[in-house]
Amino acid sequence: MTSNYRIIQSTTDFLKENGITSPEILVILGSGQNNCFRNFNLIKSLKYSDIPHFPTSTVKGHKGELQYGSIENKNVLIMNGRFHLYEGYSAKDIAIPIQISKLLGVKILIVTNAAGGINRYFKTGDIIIINDHINLTGQNPLIGPNIEDIGERFTVMNNLYTIEYRNKLVNIAASLGIKVMQGVYAGLLGPNLETGAELTMLKTIGADLVGMSTVAEVVAAKHANMEIVGLSIVTNSEFPGKASDTSHDKVIDVASKAVPNLMKLIEEFIKSI
Ligand code: HPA
């Protein structure tokens, strides 16, 4: 047993003692995307800073609040604000909330993010269902002793973003009249934006989206044998050979405009499973 596992266990116990007893789904919301589900019945809200050993969000647009509640008959845990490698957190730190969720009983992870669009068919404000990812962060939450109580040593990456759920989302989006497409998300370390040459590389290796989050969380969730859903909001369009000049304010602004549709989609998805 590693010290990391003791931390995870003690924080799990703390959350149970505070009424977060049986979440089935964990939702991690990205930049400018704090919880605005219409039919969320809040049971308990905790600031990250009040949770022992929980990382805290340092980025503008990330609220830093854990909410537990229900959507219809599903118990949902929502992270309003996430942790990034570029804030100085390790991939293992980023995995902590996912591993705690696993011990609490979570079986499904839904992650959202703001991303740069590389695929030329993706426009600013589009919602994209992530169908695979490329981990270019050079980091991995699973290094070091394996936590056997969470998952196996060697994690397979097949059907990483559950195909059945992607198909479901496509159908739900059509019924709601929301445009969605699918694409590959490349996760980079950041915090600098991409050079022109890096964008050329990303396009060449098959990335449709680029961002600075998600991959460490998803690797940790797959290790924990969760089903995974990933959704990106395209906040800026990028082109091979031309360095990105987007700003965080623009990312937050565009993301927040697409949030109502994103929330509708996730809510209907949760109701449907
Ligand atoms: N690059 C990296 N991260 C991002 C971007 C981008 O263009 N847009 C939003 N997050």
Side-chain angles (χ1 to χ4, degrees):
M1 199 196 288
T2 65
S3 60
N4 222 28
Y5 188 51
R6 275 197 284 276
I7 285 173
I8 291 159
Q9 278 181 314
S10 72
T11 305
T12 303
D13 291 342
F14 171 87
L15 294 178
K16 280 187 188 160
E17 283 155 18
N18 279 274
I20 301 182
T21 50
S22 47
E24 303 158 80
I25 301 166
L26 171 67
V27 181
I28 304 180
L29 297 171
S31 298
Q33 304 167 14
N34 290 315
N35 174 16
C36 46
F37 290 117
R38 289 226 199 126
N39 300 301
F40 181 73
N41 303 306
L42 181 71
I43 296 167
K44 182 80 193 182
S45 179
L46 288 168
K47 287 204 181 77
Y48 292 166
S49 53
D50 293 333
I51 305 172
H53 310 295
F54 217 73
T56 49
S57 253
T58 67
V59 188
K60 193 176 155 191
H62 289 260
K63 207 167 166 192
E65 198 173 275
L66 188 69
Q67 293 178 326
Y68 178 55
S70 62
I71 292 176
E72 257 182 16
N73 58 348
K74 308 274 183 349
N75 290 338
V76 183
L77 194 57
I78 301 179
M79 285 176 63
N80 289 284
R82 62 144 54 86
F83 316 112
H84 305 83
L85 294 165
Y86 66 73
E87 292 173 83
Y89 290 116
S90 70
K92 288 177 104 59
D93 295 331
I94 290 170
I96 287 175
I98 287 127
Q99 293 170 335
I100 290 168
S101 302
K102 168 76 177 179
L103 297 188
L104 288 170
V106 165
K107 303 238 167 9
I108 301 169
L109 170 69
I110 302 174
V111 269
T112 75
N113 60 49
I118 296 171
N119 184 314
R120 67 193 174 95
Y121 294 108
F122 294 178
K123 301 283 176 269
T124 298
D126 281 349
I127 295 173
I128 310 297
I129 301 166
I130 301 174
N131 58 14
D132 207 347
H133 79 214
I134 306 172
N135 179 4
L136 293 173
T137 64
Q139 302 198 27
N140 195 302
L142 307 181
I143 56 169
N146 183 48
I147 307 176
E148 294 290 332
D149 286 8
I150 303 272
E152 292 174 8
R153 168 80 289 184
F154 298 105
T155 303
V156 295
M157 292 280 123
N158 62 318
N159 199 16
L160 183 57
Y161 296 86
T162 308
I163 187 144
E164 177 199 342
Y165 289 169
R166 281 190 270 133
N167 291 341
K168 204 179 255 301
L169 278 165
V170 168
N171 291 333
I172 292 168
S175 70
L176 293 172
I178 298 171
K179 175 185 161 197
V180 290
M181 286 176 281
Q182 300 199 42
V184 174
Y185 177 93
L188 274 64
L189 190 57
N192 63 285
L193 290 149
E194 297 70 46
T195 66
E198 285 164 348
L199 286 164
T200 304
M201 174 196 74
L202 290 169
K203 187 155 185 81
T204 307
I205 64 173
D208 298 301
L209 300 156
V210 57
M212 303 174 190
S213 67
T214 303
V215 291
E217 294 151 355
V218 166
V219 169
K222 185 69 172 170
H223 174 248
N225 201 24
M226 291 183 191
E227 305 295 337
I228 298 158
V229 169
L231 292 159
S232 293
I233 295 174
V234 179
T235 52
N236 49 290
S237 290
E238 300 301 340
F239 302 94
K242 183 183 171 296
S244 173
D245 62 359
T246 196
S247 68
H248 190 60
D249 284 345
K250 183 185 167 197
V251 167
I252 301 276
D253 184 47
V254 176
S256 48
K257 287 191 182 118
V259 159
N261 273 349
L262 183 72
M263 293 287 153
K264 246 193 258 173
L265 193 57
I266 295 175
E267 204 162 75
E268 289 308 312
F269 171 75
I270 288 174
K271 287 181 193 167
S272 78
I273 50 177

